[in-house]
Amino acid sequence: MAIDFGFPAGTALLITGAGSGIGKATALHAARMGVACSVWDINPDGLGRTVAELDAIGARSHSVVADVADEEDVRRGIAEATSELGPISLLHNNAGPPSSVPLAFDEAIVMSIGSVRRMTEAWAATGPGEGAAMVVTSSVAGNLVGTESDWYSASKAALAGYVRHLSAHRAHEFRSNAVAPGMTLTPRLEQFAASDMGRRILDRIPLHRMASADDIALATLFLLSPAASYINGVLLPVDGGWTTTQ
Ligand SMILES: NC(=O)c1ccc[n+]([C@@H]2O[C@H](COP(=O)([O-])OP(=O)(O)OC[C@H]3O[C@@H](n4cnc5c(N)ncnc54)[C@H](O)[C@@H]3O)[C@@H](O)[C@H]2O)c1
C-alpha cells in the first residue's frame, strides 16, 4: 500500500529514538514518502540497523549518535544534521526511557520532559520554516490510564501540557501535536505482551491486538504532514479503542 501525505519535495524530518520501534518505523515510512531523515539514537548498533534499511530504500539520511538528555550532544547533533541535510522542517520527539526502568522521580521528569524541550528549542532555533511541525510521542499512560511507575504517567502527561503550551504560543513558528500510543509491539513490550497482565489488557482492547510500530508511525507522519495543516494542539490516542473501555 503506497501512502503519501503530500510532503513537498526536499522535506527533511528529524527523529529521536530512531534505532528501534516507533522511531525506526517513522523513519522508514517517511523515507518511502521521499522525506530525508536525520535519525538519532543513543544506541549506535540500533541506529546502524536503521541506516542500513534507509540506504536499502535509497533514502537521503544522516545519523547522529546522541543522548537527547545531554545538552552538548543535542547542540552538536543539530549542527551536524542541518549542515548535512539543510533546513529540517519536521521533528518527531520520540526517544524516552521505558516505564519498566526504575528511575528516581525527579531525575526521570527532568530527563523525559527536559529532553523534549531541549530538542524542540534547539530545532526551533534553526528556523524550520514553511510547513514546520513537531509531534511528540506521549502515551495513553499520561492522560488516560495510570502506570505502575509514577514518573512515566507523570512525565507523559506533562508532555501533553507542553504541547498545549507550544500550540498556543509558538504556532507562528510550527504546529505541535502529540500521539498517545496504547500498547505497541516494540522490543520494550515483547515480554509484557506475553505476561498475564499483558494478555488481560489485550482482551479489553476492542480491536484485540496491540498496535504495531507502523500504526503509530503513520499517525505521527499524518500529524506532521501538510494533510494535517489545520491540526494544532491535539493529543491523538492510537490505542485500538482501549481507553474507551476503561
Ligand atoms: N511501546 C509502547 O507500548 C509505547 C506506548 C506508549 C508510548 N511509547 C513511547 O514511544 C516512544 C518509543 O518507544 P518504543 O516502544 O519505540 O521503544 P524502543 O525501546 O523500541 O525504542 C526507543 C529508542 O529510543 C532510544 N533512546 C532511549 N533513550 C534515549 C536517549 N536519551 N537519547 C537518544 N535515544 C534514546 C533507544 O536506544 C531506542 O532505540 C517512547 O517515548 C515510549 O515511551 C511506547
Side-chain angles (χ1 to χ4, degrees), residues 17 19-23 41-43 66-69 94-97 137-139 152 156 181-184 186-189:
S20 177
I22 292 167
D41 207 284
I42 197 169
N43 174 354
D67 177 355
V68 293
N94 169 71
T137 310
S138 177
S139 171
Y152 191 77
K156 290 299 191 186
M183 286 220 314
T184 307
T186 63
R188 70 172 61 179
L189 265 226

Side-chain angles (χ1 to χ4, degrees), residues 1 13 20 34 42 57 71-72 74 100 124 142 153-154 178 196 202 215 218 220 224 233 236 241:
M1 170 175 50
L13 161 66
S20 177
I42 197 169
I57 293 170
E71 189 153 2
E72 177 50 29
V74 169
S100 54
S153 278
D196 281 351
L202 215 50
D215 290 323
L218 289 170
T220 300
L224 288 171
L236 176 66

Side-chain angles (χ1 to χ4, degrees), residues 19-22 24 49 98-100 182-199 202 210-213:
S20 177
I22 292 167
K24 178 175 182 175
R49 289 190 286 275
S99 64
S100 54
M183 286 220 314
T184 307
L185 195 51
T186 63
R188 70 172 61 179
L189 265 226
E190 271 162 10
Q191 285 183 337
F192 180 73
S195 69
D196 281 351
M197 188 194 277
R199 277 199 295 271
L202 215 50
M210 294 177 79
S212 65

Side-chain angles (χ1 to χ4, degrees), residues 110-182:
V110 169
M111 187 194 293
S112 309
I113 311 162
S115 301
V116 166
R117 182 172 184 273
R118 188 173 302 107
M119 282 302 305
T120 303
E121 290 301 336
W123 164 76
T126 66
E130 184 75 19
M134 190 281 290
V135 167
V136 62
T137 310
S138 177
S139 171
V140 294
N143 297 65
L144 301 160
V145 297
T147 49
E148 197 178 334
S149 80
D150 54 4
W151 66 265
Y152 191 77
S153 278
S155 64
K156 290 299 191 186
L159 288 178
Y162 180 53
V163 162
R164 282 197 299 279
H165 158 78
L166 292 173
S167 63
H169 295 281
R170 304 286 289 273
H172 55 291
E173 294 174 78
F174 52 90
R175 291 182 300 108
S176 302
N177 292 292
V179 166

